[in-house]
Amino acid sequence: MFHLAKGLYENWNKKEEYSVLILGLDNAGKTTFLEQIKRTYNPNAKVIPLERITPTIGQNVHTISIASNYLKFWDLGGQSELRTLWSEYFEHCHGIIFVVDSSDKDRIEEVSKELIKIVDSSENYDGLDTSIPILMLANKQDIPDKLEVEDIKEIFNKLAEKLNARDSKVLPIIATKGEGVKDAVEWLNVRLLRNKVNKQPKYK
Ligand SMILES: Nc1nc2c(ncn2[C@@H]2O[C@H](COP(=O)(O)OP(=O)(O)O)[C@@H](O)[C@H]2O)c(=O)[nH]1
Ligand SMILES: [Mg+2]
């Protein structure tokens, strides 16, 4: 009885934590996006000046408190040799943010292939629920010669059948200015909470 009461009490005091992977090709703006999340949600966090961000080799992890839960973000290196490591993280993630450099028209095919790979490997991966939401961010919308959100949505359209069961969306952002960052995080948080029945959070 004591243990039951203790367990209940402990969970009462704990908050739900959802893990979110930030994926995308190198140079897409993933680390800049995470830095802006820190600035928006944790004004006291240690931040890296945006102009001093270097390509990510390992991982950057940051947790924020939002609504009544936590979101733990994992910004992983995007160079092709590091992308093979992404699947290691799939089992424990509740949602994926895929950042796209909208100004990099030359690599848009590569972007499409990577996203298809992610969706396929997540489907083939034991333990990962295929219901987890995927948010695609069309970053660098400040660059005049860029792909529009509509163009980038076409990548999602190609995947429409595979994405059937999930929440998915494309949102425009300008990571360097922090524009769209809050909308993106809030969109995802609502979907993570909604998908709790399929992919349970941790309690922290
Ligand atoms: N013009 C513009 N540049 C951006 C934006 N977001 C990121 N960048 C730049 O893109 C480069 C790569 O950013 P970084 O965050 O390191 O990308 P990562 O490799 O995906 O982590 C850096 O020079 C950033 O300043 C944006 O919204 N607009
Ligand atoms: Mg990086």
Side-chain angles (χ1 to χ4, degrees):
M1 191 63 201
F2 169 75
H3 287 293
L4 179 64
K6 187 167 173 268
L8 279 175
Y9 178 77
E10 277 175 1
N11 267 340
W12 217 319
N13 278 299
K14 284 181 178 171
K15 285 213 255 182
E16 294 172 359
E17 182 188 83
Y18 297 86
S19 283
V20 177
L21 294 183
I22 303 175
L23 304 176
L25 305 187
D26 49 294
N27 204 49
K30 301 180 294 298
T31 306
T32 308
F33 172 66
L34 182 58
E35 281 298 317
Q36 295 289 22
I37 290 176
K38 285 189 199 172
R39 284 163 172 79
T40 307
Y41 289 92
N42 291 343
N44 298 325
K46 223 174 112 187
V47 296
I48 310 171
L50 296 184
E51 65 284 2
R52 292 233 309 269
I53 292 174
T54 52
T56 309
I57 301 300
Q59 61 190 31
N60 301 310
V61 184
H62 190 75
T63 304
I64 64 165
S65 182
I66 177 173
S68 57
N69 60 286
Y70 295 119
L71 288 185
K72 186 172 189 176
F73 292 97
W74 300 77
D75 159 33
L76 308 177
Q79 291 92 328
S80 56
E81 63 279 15
L82 297 174
R83 286 178 216 157
T84 53
L85 300 174
W86 288 353
S87 61
E88 306 275 320
Y89 295 82
F90 285 154
E91 190 182 348
H92 302 289
C93 90
H94 298 87
I96 291 174
I97 293 181
F98 192 85
V99 184
V100 182
D101 176 349
S102 314
S103 72
D104 191 358
K105 295 180 175 172
D106 294 343
R107 288 210 294 173
I108 205 69
E109 259 315 299
E110 197 180 348
V111 166
S112 169
K113 279 193 196 135
E114 272 319 321
L115 190 61
I116 289 171
K117 238 194 270 174
I118 288 171
V119 173
D120 279 346
S121 59
S122 68
E123 278 175 356
N124 295 333
Y125 201 87
D126 258 357
L128 179 78
D129 202 288
T130 51
S131 64
I132 67 163
I134 299 187
L135 173 60
M136 194 161 178
L137 295 179
N139 189 29
K140 307 198 188 181
Q141 287 292 312
D142 56 316
I143 296 179
D145 187 23
K146 55 159 197 294
L147 292 165
E148 300 297 333
V149 172
E150 290 307 316
D151 304 323
I152 292 176
K153 273 187 185 160
E154 278 184 22
I155 301 179
F156 259 6
N157 289 343
K158 277 194 216 167
L159 283 167
E161 222 169 280
K162 289 180 187 291
L163 292 170
N164 218 352
R166 325 176 183 233
D167 272 316
S168 60
K169 176 122 183 143
V170 182
L171 287 175
I173 63 161
I174 305 174
T176 39
K177 295 186 185 156
E179 278 179 29
V181 170
K182 215 167 175 199
D183 286 346
V185 171
E186 281 169 13
W187 182 89
L188 192 64
N189 200 51
V190 169
R191 273 72 197 175
L192 294 171
L193 296 175
R194 199 187 276 170
N195 196 41
K196 181 159 96 175
V197 283
N198 296 313
K199 186 76 185 175
Q200 289 179 0
K202 281 188 174 174
Y203 287 87
K204 284 286 173 79

